[in-house]
């Protein structure tokens, strides 16, 4: 089987995206698994290569600018890039929020989706964007996940993060904690569980996934003493999902649930809010976790970190999450092509 072409969006050019991509492609064996294609700006990648290879005798990759997918090269020492010519490194200050950097980052995503829809690339791996920057550029979405779903017109989708023994999926994502309870309803809890279950089947090859659902309140609400969201929302959502011949456990208090999940007793845990999911995940696999968007008609993975403006340009960013994101995207694509897993274009109900 031919190696899949994996599109890697450069993210915010003022952040650590260009650095972690270049470092990953220079030091890892990623090229043995797939053909990486950076979707970004050539001059930013050139700048990173100069910074990272300065004084290093054997660090001299060749940049291959691609205008058509057929122009990608599967050769050691070659970095393929689809150059959008949409940002000037001299005008974008490293480590600072800017509308111009946000606009460029969005255009990288747009091009990646265009390429994956046409079949030119087989998956998308995204470097981090800065939410403030993309908002300044006029994009009013909370993040990558929501914007990708918008581009594909996908109604039912979810954010999964995987690392160590854990896979966590969020009902609400980037939302102030005071709004979480008001944002939960039977439908969004139900659909998050449904998309999680079906994705574990058709992306991870698990025939009968074991899924647990977190409660929102301490001790599962203690029968309504500490909140009634379990009774009003989560339990009805679970009863509804069970009518689809889908068995899940919950709602369970997250403090004890994650002890079991970390032992591998569940294939995924559905969480009600951001930190409920991310704190245990990052405790288990900080620096190596991967973000996966569920419900899209293509494979998309991402790093689990942000643009890290405070260390951008210093050459000290860790590549662990980028390496894992590319490897996981490649693994899923290859298993789909081998027929080991189903790959429906949409999550059907």
């Amino acid at each position: 089987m031919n190696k899949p072409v994996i599109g890697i969006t450069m993210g915010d050019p003022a952040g650590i995206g260009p650095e972690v991509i270049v470092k990953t492609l220079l030091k890892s064996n990623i090229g043995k698994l797939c053909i990486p294609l950076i979707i970004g700006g050539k001059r930013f990648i050139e700048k990173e290569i100069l910074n990272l290879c300065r004084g290093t005798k054997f660090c001299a990759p060749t940049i291959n600018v691609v205008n058509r997918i057929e122009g990608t090269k599967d050769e050691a020492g070659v970095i393929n890039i689809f150059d959008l010519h949409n940002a000037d490194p001299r005008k974008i200050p490293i480590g600072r929020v800017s509308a111009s950097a946000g606009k460029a980052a969005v255009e990288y995503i747009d091009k990646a989706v265009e390429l994956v829809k046409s079949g030119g690339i087989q998956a998308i791996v995204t470097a981090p964007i800065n939410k403030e920057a993309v908002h300044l550029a006029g994009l009013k979405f909370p993040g990558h996940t929501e914007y990708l779903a918008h581009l594909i017109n996908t109604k039912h989708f979810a954010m999964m993060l995987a690392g160590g023994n854990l896979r966590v999926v969020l009902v609400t994502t980037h939302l102030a904690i005071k709004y979480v309870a008001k944002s939960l309803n039977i439908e969004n809890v139900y659909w998050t569980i449904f998309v999680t279950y079906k994705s574990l089947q058709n992306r991870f090859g698990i025939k009968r996934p074991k899924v647990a659902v977190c409660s929102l309140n301490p001790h599962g609400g203690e029968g309504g003493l500490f909140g009634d969201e379990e009774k009003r929302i989560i339990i009805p959502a679970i009863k509804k999902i069970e009518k689809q011949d889908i068995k899940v456990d919950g709602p369970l208090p997250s403090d004890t649930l994650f002890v079991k999940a970390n032992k591998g007793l569940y294939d995924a845990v559905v969480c009600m809010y951001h930190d409920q999911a991310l704190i245990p995940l990052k405790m288990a696999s900080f620096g190596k976790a991967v973000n996966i968007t569920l419900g899209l008609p293509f494979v998309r993975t991402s790093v689990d970190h942000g643009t890290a403006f405070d260390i951008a340009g210093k050459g000290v960013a860790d590549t662990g999450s980028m390496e894992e994101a590319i490897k996981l995207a490649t693994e899923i694509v290859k298993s789909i092509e081998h027929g080991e897993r189903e790959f429906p274009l949409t999550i059907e109900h």
Side-chain angles (χ1 to χ4, degrees):
M1 187 190 79
N2 294 328
K3 294 179 186 176
V5 180
I6 306 296
I8 308 169
T9 59
M10 201 175 74
D12 191 305
I16 63 171
E19 178 187 335
V20 296
I21 293 170
V22 171
K23 285 167 82 171
T24 296
L25 299 186
L26 288 177
K27 78 171 190 176
S28 70
N29 64 350
I30 292 296
K32 295 180 180 179
L33 305 175
C34 65
I35 303 174
L37 173 63
I38 303 171
I39 301 164
K42 175 188 175 185
R43 288 179 290 178
F44 291 94
I45 298 302
E46 286 178 328
K47 183 178 177 182
E48 286 302 330
I49 290 173
L50 286 173
N51 288 340
L52 296 168
C53 295
R54 186 177 289 114
T56 304
K57 184 178 180 180
F58 301 104
C59 182
T62 300
I63 292 180
N64 176 41
V65 177
V66 174
N67 297 314
R68 297 171 65 247
I69 294 300
E70 293 77 10
T72 56
K73 294 181 179 180
D74 182 14
E75 299 176 11
V78 172
I79 291 180
N80 297 294
I81 179 165
F82 201 113
D83 186 11
L84 268 62
H85 304 283
N86 61 347
D88 187 342
R90 296 169 298 181
K91 297 179 180 179
I92 293 181
I94 298 299
R96 290 173 57 186
V97 173
S98 71
S100 56
K103 180 175 180 292
V106 171
E107 290 171 354
Y108 305 147
I109 301 167
D110 292 341
K111 175 56 69 173
V113 171
E114 177 187 321
L115 292 173
V116 80
K117 286 171 70 175
S118 70
I121 60 177
Q122 282 69 63
I124 298 174
V125 177
T126 56
I129 58 175
N130 180 276
K131 295 174 180 59
E132 184 180 354
V134 297
H135 278 217
L136 289 174
L139 189 73
K140 305 303 180 185
F141 289 89
H144 260 122
T145 301
E146 294 82 5
Y147 184 54
L148 287 166
H150 164 74
L151 291 177
I152 299 297
N153 195 28
T154 296
K155 183 179 179 182
H156 302 300
F157 59 93
M159 179 190 294
M160 170 185 279
L161 291 104
N165 291 329
L166 298 178
R167 297 187 189 99
V168 296
V169 185
L170 285 68
V171 177
T172 65
T173 54
H174 300 105
L175 187 66
I177 196 72
K178 64 181 177 180
Y179 299 128
V180 169
K182 294 179 181 179
S183 298
L184 295 175
N185 56 62
I186 293 171
E187 284 301 300
N188 63 15
V189 174
Y190 166 82
W191 277 110
T192 303
I193 300 170
F194 188 86
V195 171
T196 299
Y197 191 91
K198 291 298 182 181
S199 296
L200 287 169
Q201 290 181 320
N202 62 41
R203 295 296 175 93
F204 294 91
I206 304 170
K207 291 184 178 180
R208 295 293 292 180
K210 296 178 181 177
V211 177
V213 181
C214 284
S215 61
L216 173 68
N217 297 296
H219 307 294
E222 288 281 16
L225 182 63
F226 300 141
D228 64 353
E229 286 80 11
E230 286 74 22
K231 284 185 173 181
R232 286 191 303 107
I233 298 170
I234 302 175
I235 291 173
I238 291 173
K239 288 181 177 179
K240 184 176 179 179
I241 206 79
E242 288 177 341
K243 292 179 181 179
Q244 306 297 323
D245 192 30
I246 294 173
K247 181 71 173 69
V248 299
D249 289 345
L252 301 171
S254 56
D255 56 352
T256 52
L257 168 54
F258 277 107
V259 175
K260 297 177 181 178
N262 196 45
K263 292 179 179 179
L265 299 182
Y266 293 106
D267 298 306
V269 178
V270 173
C271 304
M272 297 300 118
Y273 59 94
H274 185 276
D275 285 8
Q276 186 179 53
L278 271 291
I279 290 173
L281 180 87
K282 293 196 175 185
M283 284 285 290
S285 58
F286 187 76
K288 291 188 179 295
V290 179
N291 185 335
I292 307 111
T293 303
L294 308 181
L296 298 177
F298 54 82
V299 177
R300 180 262 174 163
T301 64
S302 183
V303 295
D304 75 333
H305 57 74
T307 48
F309 283 160
D310 58 324
I311 60 170
K314 297 180 180 179
V316 297
D318 187 89
T319 62
S321 186
M322 176 59 72
E323 292 180 42
E324 294 302 319
I326 298 172
K327 289 177 183 177
L328 180 58
T330 304
E331 176 191 336
I332 294 173
V333 168
K334 286 183 176 180
S335 66
I336 291 166
E337 291 185 357
H338 277 138
E340 294 172 7
R341 300 170 189 171
E342 299 175 3
F343 188 44
L345 290 181
T346 57
I347 296 292
E348 296 181 356
H349 186 176

